[in-house]
Amino acid sequence: MVLLGEIFPDFMADTQLGTIKLHEWLGDSWGILFSHPNDFTPVCTTELARVAKLMPEFRRLGVKVIALSCNSVESHRKWIKDIKSYGELTDEEFPYPIIEDQTRKFSTLLGMLDPAEVDSQTGLAMSARAVFIIDPNKKMRLSILYPATTGRNFDEIIRVIESLQLTEKYKVATPVDWKKGDDVMIDPSVSDSEAKASYNDIKTVMLPSGKTYLRIVPQPIDA
Ligand code: BEZ
């Protein structure tokens, strides 16, 4: 199972858009890979439609999107008709690949099998609702596992990507519930004197400990 900061596994996988070698397909982009227990299931259908609608946002952020579901490419092709209809998606081609994983090869490799969710026909465990963010160096930067009955919040995934891209560029961290444009905090590794040299608008929050680790600044904007 891949851990945060480790290189995300590279593999060849069949999708409805052809065979993909993951690292080559990602190129220099950020990536998200999200998994599904089963084709033709209600929560998954809403999620795939929502991600298709968010594609302009993912493109703006330079993020490639790939899904996985524990069924065949043939099944994915039929399911995509339902997803397009549900999401009122008018483009002819579905905008991102869905990996086939009826053997659970990739779900096992990525530690995504959910023993609580078993396919009634095959008796095989199904993939959890996992989501991974992969950076341009192929390092895994986020992983979340959701239960099968809870749909994900892809606005949150975009928020994390925006935070990761910002904090890659600047020595800042983003506070609770941060949204793009909100104030940020100076990274604790930056000394007070370094911080003063870089920012002229620092609000240091006074705390009972007397420590000055909570230093708020406006979000840096690219020059
Ligand atoms: C769903 O996607 O709706 C779903 C899948 C597996 C179990 C429960 C719900």
Side-chain angles (χ1 to χ4, degrees):
M1 190 176 156
V2 60
L3 300 175
L4 276 189
E6 289 184 350
I7 299 293
F8 200 79
D10 192 15
F11 49 74
M12 300 258 283
D14 289 328
T15 80
Q16 91 285 2
L17 297 178
T19 303
I20 278 172
K21 191 161 188 311
L22 187 70
H23 284 200
E24 193 179 291
W25 178 80
L26 285 167
D28 295 331
S29 300
W30 288 74
I32 68 163
L33 186 151
F34 60 108
S35 65
H36 296 274
N38 225 341
D39 292 2
F40 303 102
T41 46
V43 178
C44 299
T45 302
T46 62
E47 290 184 317
L48 282 142
R50 170 87 171 120
V51 172
K53 287 193 170 150
L54 283 171
M55 284 310 283
E57 276 294 278
F58 285 118
R59 288 192 195 106
R60 177 181 71 77
L61 294 166
V63 179
K64 289 192 130 185
V65 171
I66 190 161
L68 174 151
S69 182
C70 291
N71 306 84
S72 65
V73 161
E74 196 190 343
S75 167
H76 293 348
R77 287 210 173 97
K78 292 181 187 147
W79 184 31
I80 281 170
K81 292 186 184 152
D82 286 0
I83 300 164
K84 283 170 67 177
S85 163
Y86 168 77
E88 299 176 1
L89 305 171
T90 48
D91 285 352
E92 183 57 32
E93 184 146 79
F94 193 68
Y96 56 89
I98 309 174
I99 295 170
E100 73 169 11
D101 197 24
Q102 49 306 31
T103 62
R104 316 304 196 252
K105 186 164 82 176
F106 306 116
S107 302
T108 306
L109 174 74
L110 298 173
M112 306 190 301
L113 285 180
D114 180 354
E117 286 295 329
V118 174
D119 187 318
S120 56
Q121 280 167 13
T122 62
L124 292 174
M126 295 195 288
S127 168
R129 218 174 277 294
V131 57
F132 302 106
I133 297 178
I134 307 160
D135 76 11
N137 297 317
K138 315 288 178 295
K139 282 190 184 161
M140 188 175 85
R141 302 296 296 277
L142 168 137
S143 88
I144 317 181
L145 280 180
Y146 290 73
T149 46
T150 306
R152 281 157 283 205
N153 181 334
F154 284 92
D155 292 326
E156 167 63 2
I157 303 306
I158 286 179
R159 190 188 78 88
V160 176
I161 292 167
E162 284 177 327
S163 168
L164 282 168
Q165 293 186 347
L166 179 76
T167 57
E168 286 278 289
K169 255 195 200 152
Y170 302 97
K171 282 194 165 181
V172 296
T174 59
V176 62
D177 295 339
W178 174 86
K179 292 184 301 310
K180 193 177 175 196
D182 288 354
D183 287 349
V184 299
M185 343 283 274
I186 299 174
D187 189 283
S189 68
V190 179
S191 69
D192 281 344
S193 56
E194 283 172 318
K196 276 191 198 120
S198 307
Y199 298 95
N200 46 24
D201 187 12
I202 305 174
K203 288 187 201 90
T204 304
V205 179
M206 293 302 150
L207 297 166
S209 65
K211 296 182 193 290
T212 58
Y213 56 87
L214 225 157
R215 299 167 297 176
I216 301 171
V217 289
Q219 181 194 309
I221 309 278
D222 291 339

